[in-house]
Amino acid sequence: MAEVTTRGVRFHVQTMPASSGDSGAPIVVFVHGLVMDNLSSFYYTLAGPVAAAGAESVLYDLRGHGRSQRPPSGYGAADAVADLFGILDALGHHRPVFLVSNSFGGVVALNAALARPSRIAGLVLIESYGPAERTGEWTEDMLNTLSKSALILEYERLADQLSAIGWRQPARQAVTCDALINGTTLLDDLAAVEPIRPADLADVTCPVLAVYGEHSDVLDAGRLLARHVPGCTLYVLAGHAHTVLREGTGELLDVLLGWLSEHAGINAPMKAGV
Amino acid sequence: MDMGAVVDNDVLDEVVRMLVDVIGEDFLLDVEVGRGTTFNEDLAMESIEFVALAERLQQVYQGRVDFAAFVAGLDLDEIMTMRVGDLVAHIESRLTASAA
């Protein structure tokens, strides 16, 4: 079934078995971004090809997101890391896993690698937040955007307005965002998340692939990773901004599969016919 | 199992039951779901709900309809602009093929 309950929260989980059918296949866990995001952004892009190349893909919705339960609290980095390992334990995955993160998912992935290095085989950080020189630096823009959204959702009754003009899908998404932003401790918890500073980055022992867009406002995080994580490869996608996963999927996939074939032993990708 | 009965009339009903399960009965109250209903426009379905629908389809039609292959051949925009009838027709054609 696609549900795992751990730490008192019900999580929506999807797995795609390795095409090889090998029970010892490498495990790749996908960690998505905030609020509007959920596991579907990986489900339709990277997870299928990764499974086809010989790894088991594991996708889950962070608490409060997608089809996972939305408890009133517990949205900080430490809880997110504990949730991740709780889900892996429930699935019986005790071997080291590869984490592939997008945007805020990077905060979870990096903290997981620092908290329990023996359980992480490698990190692929796509447009990921987390590394910064000082407190507040990395969360400022994101929190401003979310706080503005919170006000619009609450005081302008955005969901009702969208619904009234027949925009049913955005209306539904607005309802979900409103519940998460205004109905939980998410914003406060995020504001309290500490960045991962250069000295901590130096302690990341696993291999890391960082992929960022050339015009991304998060690119500085990628540069910090490249400078301070001993085993980090930085790949910058020309012409792209923060939406690398959605808009640069093909190139990203080539880079990801190439890196995984080197570090996880999956099959090297066939580029022809793509 | 009588494959003929499934092919003849039950696939649409089964898909509608799954949609109610995935999207929720409240939201579907004012929508009459038929073969012409679009996932995107009419049902306002979100991509995460299509993941949940695909999982239910996989469970019910396991071994007879390969949804992973079906979905892999489409991108998300194509999936979301499909009509319920496109999905039902795909299932029916595969069930017919596997029963033959």
Side-chain angles (χ1 to χ4, degrees):
Chain A
M1 273 304 287
E3 284 182 0
V4 164
T5 298
T6 181
R7 308 184 72 236
V9 179
R10 179 178 42 74
F11 289 91
H12 173 217
V13 179
Q14 294 283 334
T15 56
M16 299 183 189
S19 60
S20 59
D22 177 6
S23 60
I27 298 159
V28 177
V29 184
F30 294 86
V31 190
H32 67 75
L34 279 178
V35 185
M36 294 289 284
D37 204 4
N38 55 55
L39 67 78
S40 70
S41 60
F42 282 120
Y43 188 93
Y44 294 107
T45 51
L46 308 182
V50 164
E56 176 175 344
S57 289
V58 176
L59 306 94
Y60 73 104
D61 284 330
L62 295 170
R63 66 168 61 204
H65 293 72
R67 295 178 74 81
S68 286
Q69 201 178 341
R70 187 173 52 237
S73 62
Y75 292 88
D79 277 304
V81 169
D83 289 347
L84 166 65
F85 287 116
I87 290 166
L88 291 176
D89 288 345
L91 293 172
H93 290 327
H94 301 292
R95 290 183 285 135
V97 300
F98 289 85
L99 300 179
V100 177
S101 68
N102 186 41
S103 196
F104 175 78
V107 175
V108 184
L110 273 167
N111 279 292
L114 287 168
R116 307 192 53 187
S118 65
R119 296 200 57 177
I120 305 300
L123 300 178
V124 179
L125 305 170
I126 302 160
E127 276 297 318
S128 287
Y129 288 92
E133 304 265 12
R134 60 178 178 86
T135 303
E137 184 184 6
W138 71 277
T139 47
E140 203 173 294
D141 288 349
M142 187 172 67
L143 285 171
N144 283 343
T145 307
L146 288 175
S147 299
K148 267 183 239 159
S149 309
L151 289 172
I152 294 168
L153 287 163
E154 189 171 357
Y155 294 106
E156 299 186 11
R157 301 170 60 82
L158 183 65
D160 290 347
Q161 289 189 31
L162 290 167
S163 193
I165 58 172
W167 287 15
R168 302 171 69 227
Q169 203 165 26
R172 296 189 69 199
Q173 289 168 347
V175 169
T176 307
C177 291
D178 188 22
L180 185 55
I181 296 178
N182 289 318
T184 74
T185 59
L186 179 86
L187 289 183
D188 290 340
D189 292 349
L190 291 177
V193 172
E194 285 291 323
I196 296 147
R197 293 188 174 81
D200 299 318
L201 292 175
D203 290 337
V204 176
T205 51
C206 63
V208 174
L209 170 65
V211 185
Y212 286 78
E214 177 189 7
H215 303 301
S216 168
D217 52 7
V218 200
L219 181 55
D220 281 349
R223 293 198 182 103
L224 282 177
L225 287 165
R227 203 175 308 140
H228 298 287
V229 174
C232 179
T233 306
L234 173 64
Y235 187 94
V236 177
L237 261 74
H240 285 280
H242 187 54
T243 49
V244 160
L245 177 57
R246 186 171 171 79
E247 288 166 15
T249 311
E251 188 178 352
L252 172 62
L253 197 51
D254 284 345
V255 176
L256 171 68
L257 292 178
W259 188 87
L260 283 175
S261 71
E262 185 183 339
H263 294 279
I266 64 165
N267 297 327
M270 300 273 289
K271 287 197 178 180
V274 175
Chain B
M1 180 181 281
D2 182 350
M3 302 299 287
V6 174
V7 172
D8 282 348
N9 50 31
D10 285 352
V11 173
L12 178 61
D13 292 345
E14 184 70 52
V15 169
V16 172
R17 266 196 296 277
M18 290 178 194
L19 285 169
V20 170
D21 188 25
V22 167
I23 303 173
E25 203 155 352
D26 294 349
F27 187 75
L28 285 179
L29 275 180
D30 55 346
V31 183
E32 183 71 29
V33 182
R35 287 176 189 262
T37 306
T38 58
F39 291 114
N40 196 5
E41 292 283 317
D42 298 330
L43 296 180
M45 217 163 147
E46 294 174 41
S47 51
I48 190 71
E49 291 172 326
F50 206 90
V51 173
L53 174 67
E55 183 190 26
R56 283 161 178 76
L57 290 165
Q58 198 77 34
Q59 284 164 357
V60 171
Y61 298 107
Q62 199 166 26
R64 292 180 287 158
V65 183
D66 185 353
F67 287 101
F70 180 54
V71 171
L74 303 165
D75 67 27
L76 185 56
D77 293 337
E78 288 177 300
I79 290 168
M80 296 307 284
T81 53
M82 277 197 322
R83 292 174 188 277
V84 170
D86 298 329
L87 178 63
V88 170
H90 175 76
I91 297 168
E92 288 172 341
S93 70
R94 286 296 171 277
L95 292 180
T96 306
S98 68

